[in-house]
């Protein structure tokens, strides 16, 4: 009887600790952004950036 009571108390303690960690604190709403957001413009194309020279890597490759 004693060991069954210990097992039951251990299971109750584990479930109480586990259930207390299930909730989410704070608001579920999306936080306000730090900068204004705009929709993407599909007609705008990405500009090509010039190739950067990396002297150390270029010397190893050549």
């Amino acid at each position: 009887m004693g060991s069954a009571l210990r097992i039951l108390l251990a299971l109750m303690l584990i479930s109480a600790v586990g259930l207390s960690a299930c909730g989410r604190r704070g608001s579920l709403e999306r936080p306000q952004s730090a900068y204004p957001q705009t929709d993407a413009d599909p007609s705008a194309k990405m500009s090509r950036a010039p190739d950067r020279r990396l002297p150390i890597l270029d010397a190893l490759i050549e």
Side-chain angles (χ1 to χ4, degrees):
M1 179 79 171
S3 63
L5 183 60
R6 286 182 190 160
I7 293 172
L8 181 64
L9 286 175
L11 288 176
M12 288 175 50
L13 179 64
I14 290 170
S15 63
V17 170
L19 287 176
S20 68
C22 288
R24 177 176 170 13
R25 293 185 181 182
S27 174
L28 296 177
E29 297 296 321
R30 182 179 178 185
Q32 295 293 329
S33 63
Y35 52 89
Q37 294 185 357
T38 58
D39 292 333
D41 184 11
S43 65
K45 295 185 178 183
M46 292 178 56
S47 63
R48 298 283 302 176
D51 293 333
R52 281 193 320 182
R53 301 284 301 166
L54 298 173
I56 297 173
L57 292 177
D58 289 340
L60 292 174
I61 292 172
E62 293 174 353

